[in-house]
Amino acid sequence: MTIAASYDDAFEAVAAVVLDRDVILAEGPEAASYLNGQLSQDVEGLGVGSSTWSFLLEPSGKVESHLRVTRIADERFVLDTETGLGEPTRASLDRFKLRTKIELSPVEWQAIGLRGPDAASLPVDGAEIDTAIAWPSGGRDVLGPELTVDAPVLDAELAETLRVEVGMPHLGRDVEIGSIPQESGLVPASVCFTKGCYRGQELVERIASRGAERRVMRRFRIDGTAAKGDVLTDDGGGVVGALTSVAVSPRSGTVALGWVKGAVDEGSVVSAPNGARVFVSSRVDEE
């Protein structure tokens, strides 16, 4: 991956993104049952070669980590999460295992995202995990100890622009550690409501049954200048939200992710501190 990719490659051909991920190997005869009781997704029902997203929650139900779980054998799983969260995630899972027959070990793996209509057919050497992801023009994430792929690569700034534009929240930038899962926009892809008990389940179930969130993660389109951290206000000057990520897209202009109060509907127009008009778009959990 030595050729610089353009913005259009991610929508018209293929572009590679270097992903910042920490990776943990979980293995042992009780790995499936233990992870199933700790994570919000149905791990025991995951087939070999399949992946799913999941939360790791505090006992109180607040977010500790958001991770992908991939079953690579009957008794072996790979967990990958944002860079910097690997060790806290491993330590948290270790804390409750007692005599459970599972070993959790950090591994040094590479992670590459392939974006664009040609992503599905592009060969990757060395991939231990190769999973499709939701992306407007098609996409895959591949992970392994040493990856080789022949694709132009996006620089970090452009990769961040595309992440914001398509509405992919980042734990630590858009979603706060210690926040309520439903405020992240990640619950539909990350929680199984029909499995057995898991750590932190009570809060998730209670908010789901109530049917209303205090605030929600949304996409925004901005007419004017705005910055990460800008507070959003309504016509009366009341605070209704905040921007967590802002980028300038060649296709869509200034775009952002952030949260607004649950009562703020799609199509609403709110204001940023410098007078910019901020158009509230879809929730991040909606296509």
Side-chain angles (χ1 to χ4, degrees):
M1 300 189 301
T2 57
I3 301 173
S6 72
Y7 169 91
D8 289 338
D9 286 332
F11 294 95
E12 298 176 1
V14 64
V17 179
V18 177
L19 302 175
D20 293 325
R21 308 294 294 173
D22 285 347
V23 182
I24 302 163
L25 179 63
E27 54 188 339
E30 296 178 330
S33 59
Y34 180 72
L35 293 175
N36 206 57
Q38 297 297 311
L39 302 178
S40 62
Q41 267 290 12
D42 179 9
V43 177
E44 287 187 306
L46 199 63
V48 174
S50 298
S51 297
T52 188
W53 293 103
S54 181
F55 287 111
L56 174 64
L57 303 174
E58 300 171 2
S60 65
K62 303 294 182 64
V63 175
E64 272 196 2
S65 182
H66 185 251
L67 56 140
R68 175 170 32 208
V69 185
T70 304
R71 191 171 201 161
I72 59 174
D74 285 344
E75 298 180 356
R76 302 184 78 208
F77 296 82
V78 172
L79 318 177
D80 68 282
T81 187
E82 307 285 3
T83 293
L85 292 181
E87 179 52 29
T89 297
R90 186 206 61 77
S92 179
L93 288 170
D94 249 348
R95 189 181 312 136
F96 296 96
K97 74 177 188 179
L98 301 176
R99 295 182 178 85
T100 307
K101 295 177 182 178
I102 178 176
E103 295 297 327
L104 298 146
S105 308
V107 292
E108 294 294 328
W109 279 15
Q110 296 176 321
I112 296 172
L114 299 174
R115 309 289 184 256
D118 296 339
S121 60
L122 189 68
V124 180
D125 292 334
E128 293 285 344
I129 295 174
D130 192 336
T131 183
I133 66 162
W135 182 261
S137 56
R140 296 156 60 198
D141 283 354
V142 292
L143 295 89
E146 188 172 349
L147 302 174
T148 303
V149 58
D150 184 14
V153 63
L154 292 164
D155 64 34
E157 182 177 355
L158 191 50
E160 175 69 0
T161 297
L162 290 171
R163 181 191 72 81
V164 173
E165 184 173 13
V166 302
M168 299 174 69
H170 183 288
L171 183 60
R173 297 180 203 168
D174 305 299
V175 180
E176 298 176 0
I177 295 173
S179 60
I180 295 170
Q182 273 88 345
E183 296 177 354
S184 70
L186 298 168
V187 165
S190 308
V191 174
C192 176
F193 286 96
T194 59
K195 61 174 278 184
C197 296
Y198 60 90
R199 193 205 309 182
Q201 179 183 22
E202 183 179 353
L203 178 65
V204 178
E205 296 282 352
R206 187 166 69 243
I207 294 175
S209 65
R210 196 182 300 161
E213 300 107 331
R214 182 184 62 175
R215 63 185 195 177
V216 296
M217 184 69 56
R218 284 193 179 270
R219 303 174 175 95
F220 303 93
R221 183 176 60 83
I222 300 172
D223 183 4
T225 303
K228 174 184 175 181
D230 278 356
V231 172
L232 304 177
T233 56
D234 59 19
D235 290 341
V239 174
V240 294
L243 303 179
T244 56
S245 294
V246 179
V248 179
S249 160
R251 180 176 65 170
S252 307
T254 303
V255 293
L257 294 176
W259 64 267
V260 291
K261 292 182 177 179
V264 178
D265 295 327
E266 181 176 352
S268 300
V269 181
V270 295
S271 299
N274 58 5
R277 300 179 73 204
V278 180
F279 298 84
V280 181
S281 187
S282 59
R283 296 167 58 122
V284 300
D285 56 6
E286 298 173 342
E287 291 298 327

mmCIF file of all heavy atoms in Angstrom, residues 4-22:
data_model
loop_
_atom_site.group_PDB
_atom_site.id
_atom_site.type_symbol
_atom_site.label_atom_id
_atom_site.label_comp_id
_atom_site.label_asym_id
_atom_site.label_seq_id
_atom_site.Cartn_x
_atom_site.Cartn_y
_atom_site.Cartn_z
ATOM 1 N N ALA A 4 -1.155 6.853 -2.855
ATOM 2 C CA ALA A 4 -2.149 7.617 -2.110
ATOM 3 C C ALA A 4 -3.508 7.509 -2.790
ATOM 4 O O ALA A 4 -3.635 7.693 -3.996
ATOM 5 C CB ALA A 4 -1.719 9.078 -2.020
ATOM 6 N N ALA A 5 -4.530 7.205 -2.009
ATOM 7 C CA ALA A 5 -5.884 7.094 -2.533
ATOM 8 C C ALA A 5 -6.548 8.464 -2.551
ATOM 9 O O ALA A 5 -6.230 9.343 -1.750
ATOM 10 C CB ALA A 5 -6.700 6.134 -1.683
ATOM 11 N N SER A 6 -7.486 8.625 -3.447
ATOM 12 C CA SER A 6 -8.289 9.844 -3.487
ATOM 13 C C SER A 6 -9.615 9.598 -2.771
ATOM 14 O O SER A 6 -9.995 8.451 -2.524
ATOM 15 C CB SER A 6 -8.555 10.255 -4.936
ATOM 16 O OG SER A 6 -9.475 9.363 -5.546
ATOM 17 N N TYR A 7 -10.309 10.666 -2.492
ATOM 18 C CA TYR A 7 -11.627 10.568 -1.878
ATOM 19 C C TYR A 7 -12.554 9.714 -2.733
ATOM 20 O O TYR A 7 -13.284 8.857 -2.230
ATOM 21 C CB TYR A 7 -12.178 11.978 -1.704
ATOM 22 C CG TYR A 7 -13.630 12.064 -1.320
ATOM 23 C CD1 TYR A 7 -14.005 12.097 0.019
ATOM 24 C CD2 TYR A 7 -14.621 12.123 -2.283
ATOM 25 C CE1 TYR A 7 -15.334 12.183 0.367
ATOM 26 C CE2 TYR A 7 -15.953 12.214 -1.934
ATOM 27 C CZ TYR A 7 -16.307 12.245 -0.609
ATOM 28 O OH TYR A 7 -17.629 12.326 -0.259
ATOM 29 N N ASP A 8 -12.515 9.903 -4.052
ATOM 30 C CA ASP A 8 -13.433 9.203 -4.947
ATOM 31 C C ASP A 8 -13.181 7.706 -4.989
ATOM 32 O O ASP A 8 -14.095 6.927 -5.291
ATOM 33 C CB ASP A 8 -13.340 9.780 -6.365
ATOM 34 C CG ASP A 8 -13.935 11.180 -6.457
ATOM 35 O OD1 ASP A 8 -14.763 11.518 -5.593
ATOM 36 O OD2 ASP A 8 -13.554 11.924 -7.377
ATOM 37 N N ASP A 9 -11.942 7.268 -4.688
ATOM 38 C CA ASP A 9 -11.639 5.832 -4.730
ATOM 39 C C ASP A 9 -12.543 5.042 -3.785
ATOM 40 O O ASP A 9 -12.927 3.902 -4.072
ATOM 41 C CB ASP A 9 -10.176 5.577 -4.349
ATOM 42 C CG ASP A 9 -9.207 5.970 -5.455
ATOM 43 O OD1 ASP A 9 -9.614 5.928 -6.633
ATOM 44 O OD2 ASP A 9 -8.057 6.322 -5.136
ATOM 45 N N ALA A 10 -12.898 5.651 -2.661
ATOM 46 C CA ALA A 10 -13.708 4.952 -1.668
ATOM 47 C C ALA A 10 -15.154 4.776 -2.113
ATOM 48 O O ALA A 10 -15.897 4.001 -1.489
ATOM 49 C CB ALA A 10 -13.666 5.700 -0.341
ATOM 50 N N PHE A 11 -15.564 5.464 -3.164
ATOM 51 C CA PHE A 11 -16.930 5.345 -3.654
ATOM 52 C C PHE A 11 -17.016 4.795 -5.072
ATOM 53 O O PHE A 11 -18.052 4.291 -5.485
ATOM 54 C CB PHE A 11 -17.628 6.711 -3.595
ATOM 55 C CG PHE A 11 -17.828 7.218 -2.201
ATOM 56 C CD1 PHE A 11 -16.905 8.079 -1.633
ATOM 57 C CD2 PHE A 11 -18.911 6.813 -1.444
ATOM 58 C CE1 PHE A 11 -17.068 8.548 -0.334
ATOM 59 C CE2 PHE A 11 -19.088 7.268 -0.148
ATOM 60 C CZ PHE A 11 -18.154 8.143 0.407
ATOM 61 N N GLU A 12 -15.902 4.875 -5.810
ATOM 62 C CA GLU A 12 -15.927 4.467 -7.211
ATOM 63 C C GLU A 12 -15.057 3.253 -7.510
ATOM 64 O O GLU A 12 -15.253 2.595 -8.533
ATOM 65 C CB GLU A 12 -15.483 5.634 -8.093
ATOM 66 C CG GLU A 12 -16.413 6.853 -7.997
ATOM 67 C CD GLU A 12 -15.901 8.034 -8.794
ATOM 68 O OE1 GLU A 12 -14.822 7.895 -9.432
ATOM 69 O OE2 GLU A 12 -16.558 9.093 -8.787
ATOM 70 N N ALA A 13 -14.095 2.934 -6.664
ATOM 71 C CA ALA A 13 -13.189 1.804 -6.906
ATOM 72 C C ALA A 13 -12.906 1.120 -5.569
ATOM 73 O O ALA A 13 -13.730 0.382 -5.044
ATOM 74 C CB ALA A 13 -11.906 2.286 -7.585
ATOM 75 N N VAL A 14 -11.711 1.339 -5.021
ATOM 76 C CA VAL A 14 -11.383 0.793 -3.700
ATOM 77 C C VAL A 14 -10.291 1.647 -3.087
ATOM 78 O O VAL A 14 -9.409 2.166 -3.775
ATOM 79 C CB VAL A 14 -10.928 -0.677 -3.786
ATOM 80 C CG1 VAL A 14 -9.636 -0.818 -4.577
ATOM 81 C CG2 VAL A 14 -10.796 -1.299 -2.396
ATOM 82 N N ALA A 15 -10.362 1.819 -1.782
ATOM 83 C CA ALA A 15 -9.330 2.523 -1.029
ATOM 84 C C ALA A 15 -9.111 1.794 0.281
ATOM 85 O O ALA A 15 -10.043 1.229 0.856
ATOM 86 C CB ALA A 15 -9.740 3.971 -0.768
ATOM 87 N N ALA A 16 -7.869 1.786 0.746
ATOM 88 C CA ALA A 16 -7.523 1.137 2.011
ATOM 89 C C ALA A 16 -7.378 2.179 3.109
ATOM 90 O O ALA A 16 -6.901 3.288 2.881
ATOM 91 C CB ALA A 16 -6.221 0.356 1.864
ATOM 92 N N VAL A 17 -7.829 1.807 4.299
ATOM 93 C CA VAL A 17 -7.711 2.653 5.484
ATOM 94 C C VAL A 17 -6.970 1.860 6.554
ATOM 95 O O VAL A 17 -7.350 0.720 6.849
ATOM 96 C CB VAL A 17 -9.105 3.052 6.021
ATOM 97 C CG1 VAL A 17 -8.960 3.919 7.259
ATOM 98 C CG2 VAL A 17 -9.921 3.757 4.953
ATOM 99 N N VAL A 18 -5.906 2.433 7.093
ATOM 100 C CA VAL A 18 -5.212 1.793 8.206
ATOM 101 C C VAL A 18 -6.041 2.037 9.468
ATOM 102 O O VAL A 18 -6.263 3.183 9.871
ATOM 103 C CB VAL A 18 -3.794 2.352 8.372
ATOM 104 C CG1 VAL A 18 -3.109 1.719 9.590
ATOM 105 C CG2 VAL A 18 -2.968 2.094 7.119
ATOM 106 N N LEU A 19 -6.526 0.960 10.082
ATOM 107 C CA LEU A 19 -7.393 1.057 11.251
ATOM 108 C C LEU A 19 -6.575 0.977 12.529
ATOM 109 O O LEU A 19 -5.640 0.183 12.632
ATOM 110 C CB LEU A 19 -8.425 -0.080 11.234
ATOM 111 C CG LEU A 19 -9.330 -0.165 10.007
ATOM 112 C CD1 LEU A 19 -10.194 -1.411 10.085
ATOM 113 C CD2 LEU A 19 -10.190 1.088 9.865
ATOM 114 N N ASP A 20 -6.928 1.805 13.501
ATOM 115 C CA ASP A 20 -6.277 1.775 14.811
ATOM 116 C C ASP A 20 -7.073 0.857 15.727
ATOM 117 O O ASP A 20 -8.113 1.252 16.265
ATOM 118 C CB ASP A 20 -6.213 3.192 15.403
ATOM 119 C CG ASP A 20 -5.301 4.112 14.613
ATOM 120 O OD1 ASP A 20 -4.290 3.624 14.106
ATOM 121 O OD2 ASP A 20 -5.611 5.315 14.513
ATOM 122 N N ARG A 21 -6.607 -0.362 15.895
ATOM 123 C CA ARG A 21 -7.329 -1.349 16.695
ATOM 124 C C ARG A 21 -6.369 -2.070 17.634
ATOM 125 O O ARG A 21 -5.234 -2.387 17.275
ATOM 126 C CB ARG A 21 -8.002 -2.395 15.795
ATOM 127 C CG ARG A 21 -8.859 -1.854 14.688
ATOM 128 C CD ARG A 21 -10.081 -1.129 15.167
ATOM 129 N NE ARG A 21 -11.039 -2.014 15.842
ATOM 130 C CZ ARG A 21 -12.129 -1.547 16.469
ATOM 131 N NH1 ARG A 21 -12.367 -0.249 16.555
ATOM 132 N NH2 ARG A 21 -12.972 -2.398 17.042
ATOM 133 N N ASP A 22 -6.825 -2.308 18.846
ATOM 134 C CA ASP A 22 -6.155 -3.221 19.762
ATOM 135 C C ASP A 22 -6.843 -4.570 19.655
ATOM 136 O O ASP A 22 -8.072 -4.641 19.531
ATOM 137 C CB ASP A 22 -6.253 -2.717 21.201
ATOM 138 C CG ASP A 22 -5.317 -1.556 21.491
ATOM 139 O OD1 ASP A 22 -4.426 -1.294 20.673
ATOM 140 O OD2 ASP A 22 -5.501 -0.906 22.538
#
